[in-house]
Amino acid sequence: VSIFTAFGITDNLDVNLSVPYISSNKESNFQDISVLLKYRFLRFNSELGAFELSTAAGLSTPLSEYSIGGLNDIGQQATSIETRALLHFRSNSSWFATLQSGFSFKVEEVPNSLPATLKVGRATSNWYYDVYYDYQHSFGGIDYRGTPFPQNFREFGVDFHKAGGTLYKPFSSSLGAYISVSYTFAGRNTFLGASYGLGLSYNFGKN
């Protein structure tokens, strides 16, 4: 379960806040809070729809002292500086596609990583739905089944290939809720299988 809030500072600048609560086997706790500042520096219209280019940067840090030490952990107790570049297209019929990637600078011994996401969906006044492919590659790090047995689980290099989707229903111009499902089908030092999510979204921007 997670809470996501978005605040529009200007027409092109907004700040996003995400607070996830994750349950995995015997571990249930708040994971890593993230604050992201996103700026849209280019927008142009065509006969097909609107194209946008944006950049984003922010910080992610643990909210709780959740345990680490297994493949089913809910995180790595890592503070990271996140950077992203985003290309977004929205058609005149409300279909959209978003491609984003960047770099995650991890503090201390957690390996840095390169994330990438491709998302396709449709957003209308009554419903939002999407499907996506999510990828992460970590630079270096140790393995769970390495020799000798790892002593510092924060040093894991975590890679994954994940596919999923989201269904969102707005209740008003500001408040909505979503359900999501994803499946991790390949990776390194990560749980393979399905995961599910519920969340609330509140937009503090001007209506």
Side-chain angles (χ1 to χ4, degrees):
V1 180
S2 65
I3 297 176
F4 174 82
T5 61
F7 180 77
I9 300 173
T10 69
D11 290 341
N12 295 315
L13 181 66
D14 61 64
V15 59
N16 298 332
L17 172 69
S18 177
V19 181
Y21 184 89
I22 296 180
S23 178
S24 176
N25 290 344
K26 296 181 180 180
E27 179 77 11
S28 297
N29 215 327
F30 287 100
Q31 195 202 33
D32 302 339
I33 184 173
S34 64
V35 181
L36 196 69
L37 195 66
K38 185 173 71 173
Y39 180 70
R40 182 179 63 193
F41 62 89
L42 180 63
R43 175 186 173 93
F44 62 94
N45 296 316
S46 70
E47 295 181 357
L48 298 175
F51 292 85
E52 297 179 355
L53 288 173
S54 304
T55 57
L59 180 72
S60 175
T61 193
L63 263 184
S64 63
E65 294 294 330
Y66 55 80
S67 63
I68 57 175
L71 292 180
N72 296 313
D73 293 345
I74 63 174
Q76 287 184 279
Q77 286 285 350
T79 296
S80 62
I81 299 172
E82 304 290 339
T83 62
R84 296 291 186 274
L86 303 93
L87 172 62
H88 179 76
F89 169 74
R90 181 183 175 94
S91 74
N92 296 326
S93 57
S94 298
W95 288 93
F96 71 88
T98 302
L99 177 64
Q100 64 171 302
S101 187
F103 198 82
S104 296
F105 299 90
K106 305 294 176 60
V107 175
E108 297 177 348
E109 64 267 61
V110 180
N112 297 328
S113 62
L114 174 69
T117 303
L118 174 63
K119 182 181 296 184
V120 178
R122 193 175 189 218
T124 69
S125 58
N126 295 319
W127 290 97
Y128 166 97
Y129 44 89
D130 68 44
V131 293
Y132 65 87
Y133 166 72
D134 206 8
Y135 167 79
Q136 176 176 289
H137 172 74
S138 293
F139 296 92
I142 62 176
D143 292 320
Y144 184 73
R145 295 181 178 178
T147 302
F149 189 77
Q151 300 298 312
N152 186 348
F153 296 97
R154 298 184 69 196
E155 295 181 2
F156 281 165
V158 178
D159 304 341
F160 59 78
H161 297 267
K162 181 191 302 183
T166 305
L167 178 65
Y168 171 80
K169 173 63 178 176
F171 303 125
S172 68
S173 60
S174 299
L175 180 65
Y178 69 84
I179 59 173
S180 62
V181 60
S182 64
Y183 191 89
T184 303
F185 55 89
R188 172 191 175 209
N189 296 325
T190 189
F191 169 77
L192 301 182
S195 61
Y196 311 91
L198 298 169
L200 294 174
S201 173
Y202 190 87
N203 191 333
F204 291 95
K206 296 180 180 179
N207 297 328

